[in-house]
Amino acid sequence: MNVSHEVAKQGVAIFGATGSIGVNTLDVIARHPDQFKVVALAAHRNVSQLKAQCVQFKPTFAALVDPTAARQLKEELAGLGLSTQVLSGAAALDELAGHPDVDCVMAAIVGAAGLSSTLTAARCGKRVLLANKESLVMSGDLFMQAVHEGGAQLIPIDSEHNAIFQCLPADGKPIDHSRKGVKRLLLTASGGPFLRKSVAELGAVTPDEACAHPRWKMGRKISVDSATMMNKGLELIEASLLFGLPASKIDVVVHPQSIVHSMVEYLDGSVLAQLGNPDMRTPIAYGLSWPDRVSAGVESLDLVRAGSLEFEAPDETRFPCLRLARQAAEAGRSYPAVLNAANEIAVDAFLNGRLGFMGIASLVEKILGVHTASQVETLEQVMAVDLWARSEAERELGRVRITACGAAV
Ligand code: NAD
Ligand code: MG
């Protein structure tokens, strides 16, 4: 084995390895075994999928947060003669995020469960590939400060933010808060599967219909967020934090074809856009290889076949989550964390048949309405706000039966 060649490889840890982003990340890595080495794979409790990934990529570590699942994985890998060390519990994620063999962390756990490990990776100065937008939305400036103080390289993986990152000046810095010349950001939104539905029709949609996104194949939580457009709301907050611009300088434009992934408008009138087929392997490959580029297995964009690219204004009456997120972004402090936590509870309730589709926005609005703003300068403060909003939302769900069309009875 050529030792010097081995040293040059980037050690990658993938948190949320069994999810949509995790699988796409492994697909890109498999194309470049000379450049990337999988050091750690972590997920919640999917033994069979993580086992198959361990067999293929032979990571040094594998972690399952669920202890029973971790025990089973350990036995099965030992049975196969694999030397992968199996860890369990949420603390294992933090341990791996800061491990010296890990250069790059793919933060692709869904929801608040990803916060601690993503924050640890930032504090330990890793290259942080941020897919888990919820962790940034809830911790805000605290997270950006950890990136700064830890000397981390923060590269957005969300396709819109990765597009903006690509359209900003290539000055060798991933994120520059004092970047000059930017007038505004234009976040594109596909509009989700219900773009043309009326409020009455939206009241009757099912979880499976909400998860059938016309352009992107994603996990169920983000699919529902795309259907309510809360995803775009979370992305608005994400963009504001990542690029250091107020929400008033970030516009959302609906673009059903999902080919223009977002745009940056400069003071001189130039608008730079990043285009490509809707395939998450493009932003993932860019994050892994930045500032270079590697192939990602993505089909070439055929603009002639695409035919036309359309743009329209979002409708905040049918999709009130976008308005709620903008209000939370403008109010700042603990509001984004409350928005995120209430939304996680609401989406879960919708997916489990406890809440109608329009009830998601109603519940989030209700919790935001009863919240008294507080500071979120420490992880403990963030967690306390998150817990408060979750319990309030759960209490509200129990107290008020919300009908399929979202009206409280
Ligand atoms: P997914 O549901 O497909 O996968 C989620 C992953 O998180 C799984 O590996 C699961 O095991 C893990 N996980 C869930 N709960 C956990 C817990 N408590 N502890 C540890 N691990 C846990 O989701 P996804 O679509 O891959 O999305 C992941 C993240 O990336 C989300 O934050 C999402 O918003 C973001 N994102 C996804 C896409 C996409 O195209 N899928 C695009 C942009 C951003
Ligand atoms: Mg996105």
Side-chain angles (χ1 to χ4, degrees):
M1 187 184 290
N2 179 338
V3 173
S4 59
H5 186 64
E6 193 64 17
V7 166
K9 283 188 193 180
Q10 209 183 136
V12 184
I14 304 175
F15 295 92
T18 56
S20 160
I21 292 288
V23 167
N24 276 306
T25 305
L26 287 170
D27 182 283
V28 174
I29 288 178
R31 293 165 195 276
H32 305 284
D34 54 325
Q35 293 189 46
F36 307 108
K37 151 122 189 71
V38 179
V39 174
L41 293 174
H44 191 199
R45 57 181 167 209
N46 188 335
V47 177
S48 58
Q49 197 178 351
L50 199 64
K51 177 181 152 190
Q53 292 177 338
C54 287
V55 169
Q56 187 182 351
F57 292 94
K58 302 189 173 45
T60 317
F61 304 101
L64 282 173
V65 167
D66 182 280
T68 313
R71 249 192 320 275
Q72 194 187 333
L73 179 71
K74 191 174 178 173
E75 279 165 23
E76 295 197 14
L77 291 185
L80 292 171
L82 245 70
S83 62
T84 298
Q85 205 178 312
V86 179
L87 311 177
S88 82
L93 302 178
D94 288 333
E95 200 182 311
L96 292 175
H99 195 282
D101 292 351
V102 171
D103 305 303
C104 172
V105 168
M106 168 53 83
I109 288 174
V110 58
L115 174 61
S116 184
S117 53
T118 312
L119 203 55
T120 302
R123 285 182 175 147
C124 293
K126 307 296 185 190
R127 172 176 293 206
V128 181
L129 307 185
L130 185 74
N132 174 220
K133 64 193 89 184
E134 295 93 343
S135 63
L136 176 59
V137 168
M138 65 192 288
S139 62
D141 292 334
L142 174 71
F143 185 83
M144 296 309 291
Q145 203 183 327
V147 169
H148 182 67
E149 288 172 5
Q153 284 176 341
L154 178 59
I155 305 190
I157 296 303
D158 220 344
S159 57
E160 297 76 3
H161 306 74
N162 192 274
I164 291 167
F165 179 63
Q166 294 193 41
C167 294
L168 288 171
D171 56 6
K173 294 181 196 151
I175 309 291
D176 179 355
H177 284 255
S178 61
R179 208 177 300 273
K180 297 215 168 58
V182 174
K183 187 171 178 187
R184 63 176 176 144
L185 306 178
L186 288 119
L187 276 183
T188 52
S190 68
F194 305 144
L195 182 58
R196 307 281 169 228
K197 285 207 189 298
S198 67
V199 171
E201 288 170 323
L202 286 174
V205 297
T206 65
D208 283 346
E209 286 169 335
C211 290
H213 196 280
R215 303 278 166 196
W216 300 95
K217 173 127 189 44
M218 310 178 286
R220 282 172 83 78
K221 193 266 177 180
I222 184 177
S223 295
V224 175
D225 283 347
S226 298
T228 60
M229 288 196 77
M230 179 59 95
N231 183 48
K232 212 48 55 182
L234 295 173
E235 290 183 357
L236 178 93
I237 300 171
E238 183 185 9
S240 169
L241 289 160
L242 284 172
F243 305 114
L245 288 170
S248 58
K249 289 194 171 181
I250 306 170
D251 288 343
V252 172
V253 57
V254 174
H255 166 47
Q257 292 78 19
S258 294
I259 283 177
V260 176
H261 296 303
S262 276
M263 296 169 262
V264 178
E265 181 179 342
Y266 288 91
L267 293 171
D268 61 7
S270 293
V271 177
L272 300 193
Q274 185 258 354
L275 282 71
N277 284 318
D279 189 324
M280 286 308 291
R281 290 176 299 177
T282 296
I284 290 168
Y286 191 61
L288 284 167
S289 63
W290 179 88
D292 297 331
R293 299 222 180 223
V294 293
S295 60
V298 176
E299 207 186 322
S300 276
L301 175 61
D302 184 341
L303 278 172
V304 173
R305 198 174 67 191
S308 61
L309 302 180
E310 296 160 316
F311 300 94
E312 59 189 88
D315 179 347
E316 292 187 3
T317 310
R318 285 181 303 130
F319 300 102
C321 286
L322 192 51
R323 168 179 56 79
L324 296 174
R326 191 177 281 284
Q327 287 167 352
E330 281 160 1
R333 294 194 286 170
S334 47
Y335 280 105
V338 170
L339 175 96
N340 179 66
N343 181 58
E344 285 195 31
I345 296 294
V347 171
D348 188 66
F350 169 67
L351 284 172
N352 290 302
R354 294 169 64 207
L355 185 63
F357 182 77
M358 293 305 280
I360 297 174
S362 309
L363 183 61
V364 173
E365 184 156 28
K366 180 111 196 175
I367 306 307
L368 284 169
V370 296
H371 180 61
T372 307
S374 61
Q375 294 304 325
V376 279
E377 286 164 1
T378 64
L379 183 56
E380 291 67 35
Q381 288 172 336
V382 173
M383 296 318 292
V385 168
D386 178 79
L387 184 63
W388 173 85
R390 279 169 202 274
S391 345
E392 276 301 302
E394 283 292 0
R395 207 160 60 91
E396 192 61 30
L397 273 172
R399 201 169 64 82
V400 180
R401 191 164 61 81
I402 299 183
T403 64
C405 62
V409 293

